[in-house]
Amino acid sequence: LLHNWGIGLLSLGTHCPAGEGVRGVMALTQAAERLTASAAFNRGDPAPLNGLGDVRMAQAEQAVDAAAKGEAAKAALEQGYTPALAINDTNTDALVGMAEAHLLLRSLEAGQQGRGDAARSHAATAANAYRSALSQHRPGQPSPLGLFAERCDVRYNFACAAVHCGREQEAAQVLRGLISLGHTSPQELSADEDFHAVRDQPWLQQLLQMPAV
């Protein structure tokens, strides 16, 4: 009951109409309280912890300044996804949540002078988490990552993380497959800021010359 209540409040907090920001903030605060209580009651279940991580990430999106965004993303990891993975280290929701939190932290670190190493570390952790989540899929069985489009989204995000930590060939392989499947296009890659730093690399230029499906 507490878990469902918390998830309902999370949905409310992330879908409030424009102009009702205070209502959204309050809903997320209440969601965090319900999910924290649910996690304490159901100690062997990662679902409430993942929900709490999702609430903290929603609060990060709502935050205006970089410091508040960073604190919320760290809270998502410390209070949500990391404890969930301590219960089940193959839980795909926790792995993807962890990756998204580290990608946000990467972007915040990349915006600060002298924080390049920290940014790359966050990107590497995100890439590893995405890779672990993708490895949970078993041929002939329903994917824990959801439908085909959702799996492709995770692959694309993996490629973004991989580029930011220097694993460019892994990114190239994944992106080539996504273009071939029609999930993304050379035009979308060209416009994506995640790939601007490697724009002149031969592997990316090759991808940009591929025909869109």
Side-chain angles (χ1 to χ4, degrees):
L1 178 60
L2 284 169
H3 175 255
N4 292 339
W5 193 357
I7 295 302
L9 287 165
L10 169 60
S11 179
L12 174 63
T14 54
H15 294 92
C16 277
E20 296 187 17
V22 173
R23 184 184 179 200
V25 170
M26 292 180 60
L28 290 180
T29 299
Q30 294 171 0
E33 293 171 354
R34 303 300 185 277
L35 290 165
T36 299
S38 178
F41 185 74
N42 300 297
R43 293 184 179 275
D45 185 0
L49 294 166
N50 286 330
L52 181 57
D54 293 345
V55 169
R56 298 306 185 202
M57 288 299 291
Q59 291 174 323
E61 291 182 12
Q62 287 185 347
V64 176
D65 63 276
K69 287 181 179 293
E71 288 304 313
K74 291 175 183 176
L77 291 168
E78 294 169 2
Q79 300 172 14
Y81 305 129
T82 300
L85 288 169
I87 295 172
N88 179 357
D89 62 4
T90 63
N91 184 274
T92 54
D93 288 337
L95 288 166
V96 171
M98 170 177 280
E100 291 174 348
H102 278 287
L103 272 187
L104 174 56
L105 290 169
R106 185 219 69 83
S107 69
L108 295 173
E109 296 283 8
Q112 300 183 49
Q113 186 174 4
R115 300 295 294 171
D117 287 346
R120 282 188 290 275
S121 177
H122 283 301
T125 302
N128 290 339
Y130 279 131
R131 178 65 82 186
S132 294
L134 289 165
S135 72
Q136 304 309 313
H137 176 62
R138 299 291 181 269
Q141 299 181 11
S143 172
L145 291 172
L147 301 176
F148 174 76
E150 295 169 311
R151 299 198 300 274
C152 287
D153 286 342
V154 173
R155 291 184 181 279
Y156 187 91
N157 291 338
F158 164 77
C160 294
V163 162
H164 287 305
C165 65
R167 292 158 59 176
E168 295 178 16
Q169 292 309 307
E170 291 180 68
Q173 182 180 7
V174 168
L175 291 170
R176 186 174 293 108
L178 292 174
I179 294 173
S180 298
L181 291 169
H183 183 73
T184 191
S185 69
Q187 291 75 20
E188 290 171 332
L189 292 186
S190 180
D192 193 332
E193 293 183 359
D194 281 312
F195 303 111
H196 283 185
V198 293
R199 184 177 187 84
D200 295 330
Q201 293 297 314
W203 67 266
L204 184 56
Q205 287 300 312
Q206 291 175 5
L207 293 180
L208 296 179
Q209 298 303 315
M210 288 181 65
V213 176

